[in-house]
Amino acid sequence: MHHAQRKGIPMKTIKSHSTVHVAVYETTLPNLVVLKQFPDEPFADVIERVAGAFRQGGSNFVLQEEQAKKKIPKPHYKHNILFLDTRIGANSLGELYGKLIDLLFDIAPEAVEKLAGMKARTRRFVAKDSSNIHPSSPHLPTLKTKSGWHVSKNIGKVDFNRGTRALCTAADIKYGKDVRLQH
């Protein structure tokens, strides 16, 4: 019996998951991405599944995951980018940039914060408030990412490349090496 229960103090049960930020080696990230069951699966779910399998003694877990992955057809996207050896795809450049922001947020939220402080000529690359993306043109559409950040919805190749280069600067990674457009 818990000490607090003996003294008559009720214990609170929290049913939601609490989260912590954990540093991951750069070489580990591609291994986690391979274990995703679907492209937008959060890394927290992947880690929970792997930990659960090993708690249950699943020695063939990695092999089973690899076989399951081969059975899922890869989606075809109009635009693709390689981010730290992870392929990301989308049918619009705005959506692709949003997915890039989400992936960066998963591994380096401080880099997204740094990127939010940077801006192109007339717009921000990313912002918590959608009105900060196009401050002088509020009629232009924005897109809210899964991690809660806003990006411009309709961007062309020049703006996408400019934003991706800024993202690389904020994350201290190399454009053309760590982040590459795929054709």
Side-chain angles (χ1 to χ4, degrees):
M1 183 176 278
H2 190 272
H3 181 67
Q5 288 175 324
R6 274 188 268 155
K7 291 188 174 187
I9 301 170
M11 293 187 54
K12 292 182 181 178
T13 303
I14 300 173
K15 299 208 181 221
S16 67
H17 291 284
S18 59
T19 61
V20 293
H21 289 273
V22 177
V24 179
Y25 293 114
E26 193 173 301
T27 55
T28 304
L29 184 62
N31 296 329
L32 287 173
V33 171
V34 168
L35 295 175
K36 285 186 169 193
Q37 290 182 335
F38 52 93
D40 295 333
E41 182 180 21
F43 286 122
D45 292 354
V46 173
I47 293 168
E48 179 64 25
R49 194 173 58 256
V50 170
F54 282 102
R55 276 193 303 268
Q56 296 168 6
S59 60
N60 292 329
F61 178 73
V62 174
L63 180 60
Q64 292 167 359
E65 285 293 315
E66 289 294 327
Q67 289 172 345
K69 209 56 174 150
K70 289 177 184 176
K71 293 177 185 175
I72 301 171
K74 290 184 180 177
H76 176 73
Y77 294 110
K78 184 176 179 182
H79 305 285
N80 296 285
I81 194 165
L82 216 54
F83 177 75
L84 300 174
D85 294 326
T86 300
R87 183 181 168 271
I88 307 169
N91 289 321
S92 74
L93 290 173
E95 181 185 358
L96 184 61
Y97 194 69
K99 286 182 176 184
L100 193 57
I101 294 297
D102 282 340
L103 188 54
L104 180 61
F105 184 79
D106 279 348
I107 61 171
E110 69 283 354
V112 179
E113 288 283 346
K114 186 175 178 183
L115 182 62
M118 302 165 67
K119 72 178 200 176
R121 293 178 217 134
T122 58
R123 71 171 75 167
R124 294 225 175 259
F125 297 112
V126 64
K128 276 291 187 186
D129 182 354
S130 65
S131 65
N132 290 333
I133 296 295
H134 302 287
S136 57
S137 301
H139 63 283
L140 293 175
T142 62
L143 175 73
K144 186 173 184 177
T145 70
K146 291 182 184 215
S147 59
W149 292 91
H150 292 269
V151 297
S152 182
K153 186 175 182 178
N154 296 327
I155 60 174
K157 286 184 179 181
V158 172
D159 288 328
F160 179 82
N161 287 333
R162 184 181 300 123
T164 304
R165 287 178 188 274
L167 180 143
C168 289
T169 299
D172 196 28
I173 57 178
K174 303 284 185 219
Y175 181 84
K177 181 180 179 198
D178 299 317
V179 178
R180 299 186 308 271
L181 280 173
Q182 299 291 289
H183 301 286

